[in-house]
Amino acid sequence: GCVLVVSVIEQLAQWHNSTVKAAMERLCNYIPGKYQIIHHIIDREMNADVVCHSLKLCKQDPGQPLCHLYPPPKVSCFFTFFKATDCGRTNASIFFYFLPLQKSFMGFSSVCAFPLLANLCEKIKYVIRNKLPFEDFDGDKFSTFPTLRGYHWRGRDCNDKNTTVYPGRRPDNWDVKSDSNCNGIWGVDPKDGIPYEEKFCKGADSQGVVLLGDSAGAHFHIPPEWMTVTQMSAKSFANLPMAFTDELDWPQFSEITGFLNSTIGGWTDSLYLRLRRRNRCNHRDLQNISQNGMLTAYLSFSLARNQLLDNPAIVIYATIGNDVCNGNRDTLAHMTTPKEMLSNVVQALRYLDSRLPNGSHVILTGLVDGRFLWDNLHDRYHPLGQLNRDITYSQLYSFLDCLQVSPCSGWLTPNETLRNLTSERASQLSNVLKEIARSEKFANFDIFYMDFPLRQTAEEWHKMGGEPWQLIEPVDGFHPSQIAAALGTSITWQKALHEWPQVLGKENPFNDQIEAIFKDQGGH
C-alpha cells in the first residue's frame, strides 16, 4: 500500500509540475473524508520503494528477499538505506505529507477493544464471515441498504420489518393486499377481480439466480483512475466509500447478478437481467454469495432459500480460480487436489439439496486457463507505469510474488513450467466437476457442467475489434474485466438456451402487461 501511495504522489507532482507536498495535498483533496498526516523528508532521487522502507512501512524480513517494484535507484546507498535511514538525506529538499498507514491500521484494529464498540465489531465480523447483510432489521438475509452485503449482493427487501417478506418467495395469498415477494406485482385487477400475481405469474416457472463464487464472481475491480495521474481528479474517487464498503467488489455490475448500468466501463449484461426479461415475475430474485479469496464450497451456507416457501433457483457454482490460486512460494503444495475438490463440492451440493426448493438447477463452471493472463499482459505497462513507462505487469507480478501477496503465484509468473503445471491442475479440477455433473444425482435439482468460456469470449471480442488484454482488469492484472463479464453472459445464455432450455424456464407471455401496469416494478 505504501509503495502504491508514494508512487501516485510522486507522479502527481511530476504531472502537475508541483512540489511533492502540493501533490500530497492535491491527493488528499481528491479523496473523500479526513486523514491525519505527518511530515517527512525525502530525497529527490528516492523512489517509492526507498521511501516506504525509510518510513518503516515496508521491511525486509530476515532470510527473505528484498522486495521492490521499481529498479533500484542509481545511488550507492540504496541497499544500505534500509539499515541506515539517514543515508541520502544530506541533499534532501522536498517536504511532503504522508498517511501514517501503520498507526491508522493499528488504531482501526484496536477500536474494537472499547466496550461500547465490542458488539458492533462482533456484528461486522459475523457479517464478513457469513456473507450476510450488515443492516437487516428483520433477519431474513435481505436488506434495504446497498453495500455491506446489502442489495448490491441480494435482491432489495421491500419490507425490512417483516421476516416473511423478501425476494424469491412464493406469493402470500397471491399478494392481494401487499407485495410479499418484492417483485413489484400485487393487488387485484378491478376488471375481473383476479389478483395480478395469479394472473401474470401462476405457472410462469418463476425462479431466482444464485451465484456461489470467488472474487471474479463478486466482480473485484479497482478503478484504474485511482492510480493513473493523467486521469485523476476528485470525481475519480467519488465512488471510493461505496467501493470499500463493498469490499472492492461490484456485484451490481457482475456477470451473473448484475442489475445496474455499469459505471466502471463496458456494459452490464447478466444472467439475472436475462432471466428477468424472460419472465418479469423474477424481479429482484438474485443472490451473489461470493467472497474474495474464499473457496466456493464453503459459501453455500449463506444461502437464503426456504425449501417450502420459496421459488426454485438456478445456482451457478463458479470455482474459476481460487482452488489453484494462492500467494505461497510453494504454490503447488497449497492447491486443492482432485480428491479434496470432489469432497468439497459434493458436500456443498448435498447441503444445497437440503435447502433448494424442488425444481431448482445447478450449473458447475470449470476453472479458467489462467495462462491467458501472462500471455497477454506481461510486457504491457501497468496503469502505475504508464506515465514514465517504467512498470510492466511482469514487474508488478514479481513484486507481489516477492511479498507473498500475489493473487495467483502459479499463473502470474515468468516461470512457464509453473504456469503450465497450474493450468494442468485447473484442468484436473474441472474434470472433477464434469464427472460430478455426469454421475451425481440429487432430489431437488438437476446438475450441469460448462467450461469457463474464456476462449469463446476472446473470439467474440476479437470479432468486435477488441484486444485480448482488454478482457482483464487493468489494475490487478488478474480478474475478468467488465467487458469479459458481459460477453461471458451472452455465451452462457446461448449454451443454456440451446442445450438446457428447461433451466431458463419459459418466456412469460404477460411481460408487456406487467410492464404496462407496474412500470419498473419498484426498481432495484
Side-chain angles (χ1 to χ4, degrees):
C2 174
V3 172
L4 167 64
V5 174
V6 173
S7 298
V8 169
I9 293 168
E10 291 178 340
Q11 290 184 26
L12 274 173
Q14 177 185 347
W15 180 248
H16 293 282
N17 194 26
S18 70
T19 64
V20 180
K21 176 182 177 181
M24 184 62 202
E25 291 172 343
R26 182 187 299 272
L27 179 61
C28 287
N29 288 331
Y30 287 165
I31 298 174
K34 302 296 182 182
Y35 299 86
Q36 181 185 359
I37 51 180
I38 63 172
H39 193 249
H40 195 72
I41 304 175
I42 63 170
D43 187 274
R44 289 182 181 271
E45 299 300 322
M46 295 181 190
N47 62 32
D49 295 311
V50 178
V51 170
C52 290
H53 278 83
S54 74
L55 289 170
K56 302 187 186 303
L57 293 174
C58 295
K59 65 178 181 177
Q60 180 183 7
D61 292 330
Q64 299 298 321
L66 177 64
C67 302
H68 56 90
L69 179 60
Y70 294 88
K74 296 178 181 179
V75 291
S76 60
C77 65
F78 176 68
F79 288 102
T80 61
F81 189 90
F82 307 109
K83 295 181 179 178
T85 56
D86 289 334
C87 178
R89 291 190 183 179
T90 306
N91 298 318
S93 57
I94 298 178
F95 293 81
F96 79 106
Y97 291 101
F98 190 77
L99 299 172
L101 300 177
Q102 284 180 320
K103 293 181 180 179
S104 296
F105 293 155
M106 290 173 63
F108 180 79
S109 62
S110 64
V111 74
C112 291
F114 290 98
L116 293 177
L117 298 177
N119 289 338
L120 177 62
C121 288
E122 285 303 313
K123 182 178 179 180
I124 292 174
K125 291 176 184 177
Y126 177 84
V127 165
I128 293 173
R129 184 170 59 249
N130 293 281
K131 278 67 68 182
L132 296 173
F134 177 80
E135 187 176 278
D136 176 17
F137 295 111
D138 57 13
D140 60 9
K141 299 184 180 179
F142 294 90
S143 178
T144 58
F145 188 75
T147 61
L148 293 171
R149 293 281 165 169
Y151 67 76
H152 282 173
W153 300 82
R154 303 170 186 246
R156 181 158 59 93
D157 203 340
C158 52
N159 186 341
D160 208 19
K161 297 179 181 179
N162 188 336
T163 189
T164 66
V165 175
Y166 54 86
R169 67 157 293 165
R170 296 190 181 101
D172 179 20
N173 191 30
W174 295 114
D175 286 357
V176 171
K177 295 183 178 180
S178 62
D179 187 6
S180 67
N181 56 16
C182 302
N183 68 359
I185 302 170
W186 65 283
V188 176
D189 188 340
K191 296 177 183 178
D192 53 23
I194 299 175
Y196 286 116
E197 181 84 46
E198 182 179 6
K199 176 179 286 190
F200 296 150
C201 301
K202 183 178 182 180
D205 294 341
S206 299
Q207 58 185 341
V209 60
V210 178
L211 173 65
L212 303 179
D214 51 20
S215 54
H219 204 29
F220 185 86
H221 167 80
I222 299 175
E225 57 270 23
W226 286 5
M227 56 187 66
T228 308
V229 297
T230 56
Q231 304 173 18
M232 194 175 293
S233 67
K235 185 179 178 181
S236 306
F237 293 95
N239 56 12
L240 187 146
M242 181 192 72
F244 275 115
T245 50
D246 266 336
E247 303 159 48
L248 291 177
D249 296 321
W250 308 72
Q252 68 272 31
F253 307 140
S254 65
E255 178 176 351
I256 304 300
T257 63
F259 58 88
L260 294 179
N261 291 331
S262 173
T263 60
I264 57 175
W267 64 98
T268 300
D269 190 7
S270 71
L271 181 60
Y272 162 73
L273 283 176
R274 290 188 176 225
L275 283 171
R276 181 182 180 275
R277 283 196 296 269
R278 191 172 181 84
N279 179 6
R280 294 185 73 100
C281 297
N282 294 331
H283 182 66
R284 289 198 198 175
D285 195 356
L286 64 99
Q287 297 180 53
N288 189 318
I289 309 174
S290 301
Q291 175 72 40
N292 301 336
M294 178 73 75
L295 295 183
T296 311
Y298 303 109
L299 296 174
S300 56
F301 302 103
S302 300
L303 176 70
R305 215 67 178 179
N306 186 303
Q307 209 163 36
L308 300 178
L309 298 179
D310 297 349
N311 287 320
I314 301 173
V315 178
I316 309 297
Y317 187 100
T319 60
I320 76 167
N322 275 9
D323 287 283
V324 296
C325 285
N326 59 75
N328 297 290
R329 296 223 165 90
D330 54 343
T331 181
L332 292 172
H334 288 80
M335 294 180 185
T336 302
T337 66
K339 183 178 180 180
E340 291 169 337
M341 188 73 162
L342 177 62
S343 175
N344 292 343
V345 175
V346 170
Q347 178 187 3
L349 292 174
R350 287 173 179 165
Y351 179 82
L352 288 175
D353 200 32
S354 71
R355 291 292 184 272
L356 289 175
N358 189 262
S360 295
H361 312 280
V362 173
I363 299 175
L364 305 178
T365 303
L367 279 70
V368 69
D369 185 349
R371 289 175 292 193
F372 183 88
L373 303 169
W374 179 269
D375 292 346
N376 290 287
L377 281 185
H378 75 276
D379 57 353
R380 295 188 62 82
Y381 289 109
H382 185 267
L384 206 58
Q386 288 176 4
L387 180 64
N388 297 310
R389 302 176 71 83
D390 56 354
I391 302 175
T392 63
Y393 283 94
S394 177
Q395 288 171 256
L396 174 71
Y397 295 156
S398 296
F399 179 59
L400 296 177
D401 190 53
C402 180
L403 296 172
Q404 298 187 61
V405 295
S406 171
C408 198
S409 294
W411 277 324
L412 308 183
T413 173
N415 186 332
E416 183 179 7
T417 300
L418 183 55
R419 297 199 304 270
N420 290 338
L421 287 172
T422 303
S423 288
E424 181 181 338
R425 176 61 61 85
S427 178
Q428 293 170 355
L429 299 184
S430 294
N431 287 335
V432 170
L433 295 173
K434 191 179 301 184
E435 178 59 23
I436 290 173
R438 187 193 68 81
S439 61
E440 296 287 338
K441 304 298 179 185
F442 298 90
N444 290 307
F445 57 82
D446 48 14
I447 187 168
F448 307 90
Y449 170 85
M450 67 173 290
D451 290 323
F452 186 82
L454 178 60
R455 178 182 57 80
Q456 301 96 311
T457 300
E459 290 174 354
E460 188 64 29
W461 184 232
H462 178 71
K463 292 177 186 176
M464 297 171 67
E467 297 289 337
W469 58 268
Q470 295 169 312
L471 299 174
I472 308 169
E473 273 295 315
V475 172
D476 62 60
F478 177 63
H479 293 93
S481 69
Q482 184 67 33
I483 294 171
L487 292 174
T489 295
S490 177
I491 295 165
T492 300
W493 182 266
Q494 291 303 318
K495 181 177 178 65
L497 199 61
H498 290 101
E499 298 184 23
W500 325 309
Q502 72 274 24
V503 171
L504 304 179
K506 58 191 177 186
E507 191 163 357
N508 192 330
F510 299 106
N511 282 334
D512 290 342
Q513 293 183 55
I514 293 172
E515 185 174 9
I517 297 172
F518 297 102
K519 310 305 179 187
D520 68 352
Q521 298 169 251
H524 287 93

